[in-house]
Amino acid sequence: MTESVIELRNVTKRFKQKVVLDNLDFTLRRGTVTGLLGKNGAGKTTLLKCALGLLTPQTGEARLLGEPATKLSAAAKNRLGFVPQEVSLYPWMKVRQIAAYTGAFYARWNQGLVERLLKEWELNTDERVGTLSTGQTQKLGIVLALGHEPELLVLDEPVASLDPSARRQFLGTLLDVAMDGNRTVLLSTHITSDLERVADQVAVLKDGKIVYDDELSSLKESVKRLRIVVPTGLPSGLRDLPGILNCQANGTSAVFSLRGFLPELPERLARDWQAQVSVEDLNLEEIFLELHHE
Ligand code: ADP
């Protein structure tokens, strides 16, 4: 049996009275690039920290690389790379010194990869860490997390501090490097367009739970917007359609989105309701907004 990379079962995490993760289940699939998507404050950082054993949930269990997350062995830690949202590194060290210092902690360290990335990402190895911009510090944090070639890489809002035009390109390069080998990557973001081209799986966190977890392509097949016109008047059962998310009706026409779309649905509605039906694909941003109507 292959061990799971990250496994959260019935995880509840509260801060004082505030429930952030609510009896949440999540399994990270090996070999995927999974985007953890949720609004600001949805609990993405909390979920990642519980998964990594940096926070202890009040109830439930978090397992990482087959071990209890809060009791990770040194061997498991060697297989893991984590880049927090705010990377904090010794400010007085020069970039080249911190690379050497970090490398010394690991039995395996790919100095060639580190040097290549520092060059490609235009980080000056003679500059002091304390004088780097936030975006450069985040890039450095990512390089350092890749140096020991971890099989699991967890990134919390990895491009949050980067210039919008560079975000997607940078993410693409990052994931090319990260996926060179049989790696699993979990990255959180509140920006759907970041995931559109780089993730193959998407998990949506909302109200303390994972409300969607599947392939990005399946999500796009599942959530659609439909427009219907029924000249004799809209049927009363419209709002009870299974999976309906958001419906705006106006006399004889309606626009609604639904999840769990089946290709035969338009034909069935056309037949049962004597309706003209058209179906629209949605991009990830639109799907994310529609899922928040539930
Ligand atoms: P996200 O990463 O999705 O933006 P977070 O996990 O950072 O969300 O935060 C989720 C919620 O938990 C927020 O309301 C935040 O204020 C709260 N929270 C996070 N960490 C703490 C903490 N250490 N103490 C109290 N509240 C916290």
Side-chain angles (χ1 to χ4, degrees), residues 13-16 18-21 36-49 55 85 156-157 188-190 205:
K13 180 66 193 172
R14 286 186 301 270
F15 294 109
K16 300 220 172 82
K18 189 179 168 70
V19 178
V20 178
L21 305 179
L36 174 64
L37 192 57
K39 289 187 174 174
N40 263 328
K44 301 180 293 299
T45 301
T46 306
L47 185 155
L48 297 182
K49 287 189 172 171
L55 282 174
Q85 203 166 354
D156 193 1
E157 301 263 2
S188 75
T189 182
H190 63 282
L205 176 62

Side-chain angles (χ1 to χ4, degrees), residues 42-111:
K44 301 180 293 299
T45 301
T46 306
L47 185 155
L48 297 182
K49 287 189 172 171
C50 286
L52 296 168
L54 301 172
L55 282 174
T56 309
Q58 276 82 12
T59 63
E61 195 193 13
R63 295 183 73 81
L64 185 73
L65 298 166
E67 299 181 5
T70 50
K71 296 189 191 117
L72 278 193
S73 64
K77 285 182 189 161
N78 262 305
R79 295 162 64 195
L80 165 72
F82 173 49
V83 185
Q85 203 166 354
E86 276 158 33
V87 174
S88 81
L89 301 166
Y90 297 118
W92 64 87
M93 281 194 188
K94 290 187 174 168
V95 169
R96 89 166 72 249
Q97 286 174 311
I98 205 150
Y101 173 82
T102 310
F105 283 96
Y106 294 97
R108 188 171 78 168
W109 184 255
N110 188 339
Q111 184 64 20

